[in-house]
Amino acid sequence: MRRNTRRRSKAARRAIVATAALALGAGGLVTANMYASADAGDSQQSDTRGRELSARASTIDCPDVGQRLSAVPQRARAEVDRELALLDKQVAEAYQRLAGSQRAIQQDANFAQNAIMGPLKDKRTAAIDRISIAIGRVAATPQGLEGLATCTLKASGNQPGGGQPGGGQGGNQGGNQGQNGNGPVAADFVDITTVQPNARTPRPARNASKGLFATKCGVNANKLYNTDNVIVAPGVSNGAHHTHDYVGNQANNAFADNNTFARGRTTCRNQGDKSTYYWPVLRLQDGTREFDADRQGGGAEGNTGRILTAKKVTLEYVGNPRGKVVAMPRFLRIITGDAKAFSNGTANANASWSCTGFENRQLKDKYPICPQGSDVVRTSTFQSCWDGKNADSANHRSHVAFTDADGRCPKGFVAIPQLVQRLVYDVDAPSLKDNGKTRPFFAVDGFPEQLHKPVTDHGDFINVFDERVMKQMVRCINTGRTCR
């Protein structure tokens, strides 16, 4: 008996692991590891055992090639940007196929690997090769990129139905099914009143720059939306794979350049601020068919529900606790947060969720449940250290940095005015006990495979202040004045 059990265990260890995807109500995908044993006699038993023991929610996790590029020559930039955008598109399409192939995967334990993950690796290998070739034509060929082609299936941490009674049952009959079946779930929310105060600010030094400069640019009441990202994917339509709100410069799309921004109109009250401020929209999962319900970046990629317009947007520039700030260069580009933080990890994550009246309690990886009379708040605190040379960088991050815990910039960086973007939403707290059926979930737009996790929230900014107003901002901040 023991020998027979040991033989079956060895066969199970030799098993080929595949993944079955079952559509869930608010939970993305349920995956079951299905073991196709090398021992034909144990195949059925191993498969059943794998199904019973390994059911869990899953998504596709791919290395972020763009973040591994330390330098891209200007002459190769356009081609590299196109290939990076293509890599994002490939992952989004593979996730959608995984979500729609549950029956095929149930029937064939190797389907996910052979029909989805294997072809995805081949496509990524070709795109990465083209990136290396493009850079190699004008500079040294980057090394090690080929190892970034392989993607894996990652557990989402979601329990079926969000761990709540009745989750994931039925259709969209007055209840909430998540954004096209890929999140959020009840476990993504937490009652803000149960969170301990955690907000910290460095103690200012004697020569700190304590002033403030505010610019008022509206709340996107004119509904300027698109699914582009001109910083990360210039020249590529739907480069973001989710919808952005825009305030400030009205010329922002995938094909805008610095001249376009300089000529653009602005919603900012101070016409010397033509900067562009944009962020992923927040949606209410109430079954509303928005204008983008059937479009890429919208409903076709899992971003569904009613787009919520913030009731208030605050854009403030503050100083540095250790010293004075210098002017930002015109057309400086800053991305804060990481739209792929769920798969990339939290190294670049900078989400901050809270509620009015509770903003000494900030959440990074949960949406807040606010008490009655309190509104949801999204805060993006942008990087405030600049390398003194570049308006952008290959990975769109290394030219700017955050201060350390004491407010000091890294060596070789100088302090610049820090943008603090605060968005306030009047949205009811969702009902968790019935998985959002009574009062629907809200969620930030995102790449479909990121499952609309709150940690993926992010913001984008391009400085298009004219020189006179930028000098005024620096004076206000360095002299401790408040300028509104």
Side-chain angles (χ1 to χ4, degrees):
M1 176 68 73
R2 288 180 180 174
R3 285 195 300 272
N4 195 33
T5 301
R6 188 178 299 115
R7 199 160 45 240
R8 281 197 297 270
S9 297
K10 288 181 179 179
R13 284 196 295 269
R14 295 196 303 267
I16 300 170
V17 180
T19 300
L22 307 177
L24 264 190
L29 305 174
V30 168
T31 62
N33 287 340
M34 301 196 301
Y35 296 86
S37 174
D39 184 334
D42 290 332
S43 177
Q44 184 174 358
Q45 182 176 348
S46 296
D47 180 79
T48 301
R49 185 168 178 266
R51 287 174 184 268
E52 292 174 349
L53 297 180
S54 303
R56 57 180 179 165
S58 163
T59 188
I60 294 177
D61 183 2
C62 299
D64 192 336
V65 177
Q67 295 305 306
R68 309 294 179 90
L69 295 176
S70 58
V72 177
Q74 187 60 40
R75 285 185 289 170
R77 181 66 61 86
E79 186 172 354
V80 170
D81 285 340
R82 285 194 298 271
E83 295 300 333
L84 290 174
L86 180 59
L87 288 170
D88 286 340
K89 182 180 180 183
Q90 290 166 353
V91 177
E93 290 175 344
Y95 174 84
Q96 289 173 302
R97 188 168 189 203
L98 183 68
S101 299
Q102 66 230 36
R103 181 170 297 180
I105 297 172
Q106 285 178 289
Q107 294 172 349
D108 178 0
N110 295 317
F111 182 89
Q113 178 59 39
N114 293 340
I116 300 173
M117 302 303 287
L120 175 59
K121 179 181 178 180
D122 293 342
K123 292 176 183 178
R124 284 175 59 84
T125 297
I128 290 170
D129 284 347
R130 291 192 293 270
I131 289 172
S132 296
I133 291 169
I135 295 174
R137 290 194 192 105
V138 294
T141 301
Q143 301 300 309
L145 295 184
E146 64 279 359
L148 305 178
T150 302
C151 301
T152 59
L153 290 161
K154 173 180 177 174
S156 73
N158 296 343
Q159 295 300 317
Q164 298 295 330
Q169 301 300 316
N172 195 26
Q173 301 168 352
N176 174 49
Q177 293 295 307
Q179 295 196 0
N180 234 26
N182 63 337
V185 296
D188 291 324
F189 294 81
V190 67
D191 183 344
I192 195 68
T193 65
T194 67
V195 178
Q196 292 299 309
N198 55 12
R200 300 286 184 269
T201 56
R203 175 181 291 183
R206 180 176 298 178
N207 63 335
S209 44
K210 300 179 182 179
L212 179 148
F213 181 94
T215 184
K216 298 179 180 178
C217 301
V219 297
N220 195 26
N222 58 323
K223 300 187 183 300
L224 176 61
Y225 304 120
N226 65 46
T227 61
D228 301 338
N229 191 332
V230 70
I231 296 179
V232 175
V236 179
S237 296
N238 192 38
H241 296 269
H242 54 265
T243 297
H244 285 127
D245 267 313
Y246 291 87
V247 301
N249 204 299
Q250 298 294 282
N252 193 334
N253 60 43
F255 305 97
D257 59 17
N258 290 346
N259 291 329
T260 307
F261 288 125
R263 295 192 303 265
R265 294 183 299 104
T266 181
T267 64
C268 298
R269 184 177 300 177
N270 186 332
Q271 291 294 294
D273 183 8
K274 291 189 175 183
S275 302
T276 177
Y277 307 86
Y278 59 107
W279 54 84
V281 299
L282 193 70
R283 297 190 194 240
L284 187 66
Q285 305 305 301
D286 61 355
T288 297
R289 283 184 56 82
E290 276 283 4
F291 70 94
D292 60 350
D294 299 316
R295 298 181 188 176
Q296 293 298 308
E301 294 191 86
N303 293 306
T304 62
R306 177 160 59 94
I307 293 175
L308 301 173
T309 300
K311 65 184 287 187
K312 184 177 183 180
V313 174
T314 303
L315 303 170
E316 295 181 340
Y317 294 84
V318 298
N320 180 278
R322 310 305 303 181
K324 307 305 181 185
V325 300
V326 302
M328 289 184 283
R330 203 166 195 226
F331 305 117
L332 176 69
R333 286 151 164 78
I334 306 181
I335 298 171
T336 197
D338 185 358
K340 303 174 188 174
F342 180 62
S343 57
N344 284 349
T346 59
N348 291 315
N350 193 30
S352 286
W353 296 88
S354 191
C355 304
T356 55
F358 297 87
E359 289 178 71
N360 61 341
R361 313 171 193 204
Q362 295 291 326
L363 302 167
K364 301 298 183 185
D365 59 357
K366 300 288 184 183
Y367 293 116
I369 299 293
C370 301
Q372 188 172 3
S374 176
D375 293 324
V376 172
V377 181
R378 299 164 66 184
T379 303
S380 293
T381 304
F382 283 68
Q383 296 89 317
S384 60
C385 302
W386 171 51
D387 68 5
K389 296 175 290 186
N390 300 296
D392 199 2
S393 51
N395 61 8
H396 310 293
R397 294 187 186 276
S398 58
H399 64 297
V400 289
F402 289 101
T403 64
D404 64 18
D406 293 324
R408 293 182 176 88
C409 285
K411 186 177 180 179
F413 285 70
V414 295
I416 57 174
Q418 181 173 47
L419 171 61
V420 180
Q421 175 182 284
R422 180 173 175 270
L423 315 176
V424 181
Y425 295 86
D426 181 7
V427 55
D428 290 339
S431 55
L432 302 189
K433 290 184 179 181
D434 63 1
N435 209 37
K437 290 183 179 180
T438 305
R439 294 186 306 277
F441 294 147
F442 58 84
V444 67
D445 260 26
F447 290 94
E449 74 280 1
Q450 298 301 309
L451 306 183
H452 302 282
K453 295 296 184 181
V455 74
T456 64
D457 197 14
H458 57 283
D460 301 79
F461 163 73
I462 301 176
N463 168 39
V464 199
F465 278 94
D466 68 33
E467 185 176 350
R468 177 186 59 82
V469 179
M470 177 55 64
K471 286 181 177 178
Q472 179 189 1
M473 178 195 298
V474 170
R475 282 196 304 270
C476 288
I477 291 172
N478 284 342
T479 58
R481 290 185 293 147
T482 296
C483 303
R484 297 186 182 275

